mmCIF file of all heavy atoms in Angstrom:
data_model
loop_
_atom_site.group_PDB
_atom_site.id
_atom_site.type_symbol
_atom_site.label_atom_id
_atom_site.label_comp_id
_atom_site.label_asym_id
_atom_site.label_seq_id
_atom_site.Cartn_x
_atom_site.Cartn_y
_atom_site.Cartn_z
ATOM 1 N N GLU Z 305 26.725 -11.899 22.939
ATOM 2 C CA GLU Z 305 26.225 -12.999 23.745
ATOM 3 C C GLU Z 305 27.214 -14.165 23.686
ATOM 4 O O GLU Z 305 27.550 -14.700 22.624
ATOM 5 C CB GLU Z 305 24.889 -13.466 23.196
ATOM 6 C CG GLU Z 305 24.249 -14.552 24.082
ATOM 7 C CD GLU Z 305 22.792 -14.825 23.771
ATOM 8 O OE1 GLU Z 305 22.093 -13.927 23.381
ATOM 9 O OE2 GLU Z 305 22.378 -15.991 23.965
ATOM 10 N N VAL Z 308 27.155 -18.118 21.359
ATOM 11 C CA VAL Z 308 26.491 -18.091 20.051
ATOM 12 C C VAL Z 308 27.443 -18.633 18.923
ATOM 13 O O VAL Z 308 27.004 -19.508 18.163
ATOM 14 C CB VAL Z 308 26.009 -16.643 19.773
ATOM 15 C CG1 VAL Z 308 25.643 -16.475 18.285
ATOM 16 C CG2 VAL Z 308 24.781 -16.320 20.602
ATOM 17 N N ARG Z 477 6.566 -19.873 23.414
ATOM 18 C CA ARG Z 477 7.806 -20.591 23.094
ATOM 19 C C ARG Z 477 8.357 -20.170 21.746
ATOM 20 O O ARG Z 477 9.573 -20.050 21.582
ATOM 21 C CB ARG Z 477 7.498 -22.110 23.121
ATOM 22 C CG ARG Z 477 8.615 -23.017 22.698
ATOM 23 C CD ARG Z 477 9.893 -22.822 23.516
ATOM 24 N NE ARG Z 477 11.045 -23.196 22.702
ATOM 25 C CZ ARG Z 477 12.267 -22.715 22.807
ATOM 26 N NH1 ARG Z 477 12.589 -21.868 23.759
ATOM 27 N NH2 ARG Z 477 13.233 -23.122 21.991
ATOM 28 N N THR Z 480 10.840 -17.286 21.780
ATOM 29 C CA THR Z 480 12.178 -17.623 22.286
ATOM 30 C C THR Z 480 12.937 -18.468 21.238
ATOM 31 O O THR Z 480 14.118 -18.304 20.988
ATOM 32 C CB THR Z 480 12.059 -18.396 23.598
ATOM 33 O OG1 THR Z 480 11.008 -17.885 24.342
ATOM 34 C CG2 THR Z 480 13.343 -18.369 24.372
ATOM 35 N N HIS Z 481 12.181 -19.375 20.640
ATOM 36 C CA HIS Z 481 12.752 -20.253 19.565
ATOM 37 C C HIS Z 481 13.291 -19.346 18.412
ATOM 38 O O HIS Z 481 14.421 -19.519 17.971
ATOM 39 C CB HIS Z 481 11.608 -21.138 19.089
ATOM 40 C CG HIS Z 481 11.875 -22.035 17.949
ATOM 41 N ND1 HIS Z 481 12.127 -23.388 18.072
ATOM 42 C CD2 HIS Z 481 11.878 -21.773 16.602
ATOM 43 C CE1 HIS Z 481 12.292 -23.921 16.911
ATOM 44 N NE2 HIS Z 481 12.147 -22.994 16.003
ATOM 45 N N ASN Z 482 12.479 -18.384 18.035
ATOM 46 C CA ASN Z 482 12.871 -17.477 16.916
ATOM 47 C C ASN Z 482 13.979 -16.542 17.355
ATOM 48 O O ASN Z 482 14.835 -16.168 16.587
ATOM 49 C CB ASN Z 482 11.678 -16.684 16.411
ATOM 50 C CG ASN Z 482 10.700 -17.539 15.618
ATOM 51 O OD1 ASN Z 482 11.049 -18.698 15.234
ATOM 52 N ND2 ASN Z 482 9.468 -17.088 15.528
ATOM 53 N N LYS Z 483 14.011 -16.202 18.674
ATOM 54 C CA LYS Z 483 15.117 -15.377 19.175
ATOM 55 C C LYS Z 483 16.429 -16.150 18.991
ATOM 56 O O LYS Z 483 17.457 -15.579 18.658
ATOM 57 C CB LYS Z 483 14.833 -15.023 20.632
ATOM 58 C CG LYS Z 483 15.764 -13.971 21.214
ATOM 59 C CD LYS Z 483 17.085 -14.541 21.787
ATOM 60 C CE LYS Z 483 17.900 -13.421 22.452
ATOM 61 N NZ LYS Z 483 19.195 -13.929 22.891
ATOM 62 N N GLY Z 484 16.372 -17.456 19.220
ATOM 63 C CA GLY Z 484 17.552 -18.296 19.043
ATOM 64 C C GLY Z 484 18.018 -18.271 17.593
ATOM 65 O O GLY Z 484 19.212 -18.229 17.312
ATOM 66 N N ILE Z 485 17.078 -18.277 16.682
ATOM 67 C CA ILE Z 485 17.405 -18.193 15.239
ATOM 68 C C ILE Z 485 18.073 -16.843 14.967
ATOM 69 O O ILE Z 485 19.122 -16.717 14.350
ATOM 70 C CB ILE Z 485 16.101 -18.334 14.390
ATOM 71 C CG1 ILE Z 485 15.551 -19.724 14.496
ATOM 72 C CG2 ILE Z 485 16.432 -17.966 12.910
ATOM 73 C CD1 ILE Z 485 14.221 -19.948 13.835
ATOM 74 N N ASN Z 487 19.677 -14.959 16.974
ATOM 75 C CA ASN Z 487 20.995 -14.898 17.547
ATOM 76 C C ASN Z 487 22.056 -15.062 16.438
ATOM 77 O O ASN Z 487 23.072 -14.405 16.404
ATOM 78 C CB ASN Z 487 21.234 -15.962 18.594
ATOM 79 C CG ASN Z 487 20.744 -15.611 19.959
ATOM 80 O OD1 ASN Z 487 20.461 -14.453 20.256
ATOM 81 N ND2 ASN Z 487 20.617 -16.585 20.839
ATOM 82 N N ASN Z 581 19.670 -22.270 15.622
ATOM 83 C CA ASN Z 581 18.421 -22.822 16.143
ATOM 84 C C ASN Z 581 18.594 -24.305 16.501
ATOM 85 O O ASN Z 581 18.216 -24.739 17.608
ATOM 86 C CB ASN Z 581 17.382 -22.693 15.026
ATOM 87 C CG ASN Z 581 15.953 -23.006 15.426
ATOM 88 O OD1 ASN Z 581 15.185 -23.437 14.581
ATOM 89 N ND2 ASN Z 581 15.583 -22.805 16.654
ATOM 90 N N ALA Z 584 20.694 -24.633 19.683
ATOM 91 C CA ALA Z 584 19.928 -24.261 20.894
ATOM 92 C C ALA Z 584 18.949 -25.385 21.280
ATOM 93 O O ALA Z 584 18.856 -25.779 22.454
ATOM 94 C CB ALA Z 584 19.192 -22.966 20.683
ATOM 95 N N LEU Z 585 18.228 -25.938 20.288
ATOM 96 C CA LEU Z 585 17.226 -26.978 20.575
ATOM 97 C C LEU Z 585 17.922 -28.231 21.114
ATOM 98 O O LEU Z 585 17.421 -28.942 21.984
ATOM 99 C CB LEU Z 585 16.392 -27.300 19.354
ATOM 100 C CG LEU Z 585 15.513 -26.185 18.822
ATOM 101 C CD1 LEU Z 585 14.555 -26.698 17.733
ATOM 102 C CD2 LEU Z 585 14.755 -25.452 19.947
ATOM 103 N N LEU Z 588 18.802 -27.499 24.686
ATOM 104 C CA LEU Z 588 17.589 -27.504 25.518
ATOM 105 C C LEU Z 588 17.028 -28.856 25.714
ATOM 106 O O LEU Z 588 16.481 -29.194 26.801
ATOM 107 C CB LEU Z 588 16.544 -26.561 24.845
ATOM 108 C CG LEU Z 588 16.900 -25.061 24.934
ATOM 109 C CD1 LEU Z 588 15.948 -24.310 24.009
ATOM 110 C CD2 LEU Z 588 16.740 -24.544 26.364
ATOM 111 N N ILE Z 593 20.563 -25.347 28.701
ATOM 112 C CA ILE Z 593 21.362 -24.296 28.037
ATOM 113 C C ILE Z 593 22.483 -23.755 28.929
ATOM 114 O O ILE Z 593 23.450 -23.211 28.522
ATOM 115 C CB ILE Z 593 20.410 -23.162 27.529
ATOM 116 C CG1 ILE Z 593 21.010 -22.496 26.318
ATOM 117 C CG2 ILE Z 593 20.096 -22.134 28.588
ATOM 118 C CD1 ILE Z 593 20.860 -23.297 25.050
ATOM 119 N N HIS Z 597 26.700 -22.131 28.617
ATOM 120 C CA HIS Z 597 26.790 -20.698 28.847
ATOM 121 C C HIS Z 597 27.800 -20.398 29.954
ATOM 122 O O HIS Z 597 28.355 -19.323 30.009
ATOM 123 C CB HIS Z 597 25.445 -20.139 29.285
ATOM 124 C CG HIS Z 597 24.607 -19.587 28.142
ATOM 125 N ND1 HIS Z 597 24.974 -18.516 27.440
ATOM 126 C CD2 HIS Z 597 23.421 -19.996 27.677
ATOM 127 C CE1 HIS Z 597 24.069 -18.280 26.521
ATOM 128 N NE2 HIS Z 597 23.083 -19.132 26.628
HETATM 129 C C1 MEV W 1463 19.227 -17.680 24.126
HETATM 130 O O1 MEV W 1463 19.850 -16.474 23.642
HETATM 131 C C2 MEV W 1463 18.472 -18.351 22.996
HETATM 132 C C3 MEV W 1463 17.673 -19.564 23.423
HETATM 133 O O2 MEV W 1463 16.741 -19.167 24.466
HETATM 134 C C4 MEV W 1463 16.906 -20.012 22.200
HETATM 135 C C5 MEV W 1463 15.894 -21.116 22.462
HETATM 136 O O3 MEV W 1463 15.336 -21.169 23.590
HETATM 137 O O4 MEV W 1463 15.583 -21.820 21.488
HETATM 138 C C6 MEV W 1463 18.526 -20.641 23.974
#
Side-chain angles (χ1 to χ4, degrees):
E305 186 168 329
V308 164
R477 174 57 206 153
T480 324
H481 176 101
N482 290 342
K483 190 274 185 184
I485 294 173
N487 274 346
N581 188 209
L585 297 190
L588 288 167
I593 209 77
H597 267 295

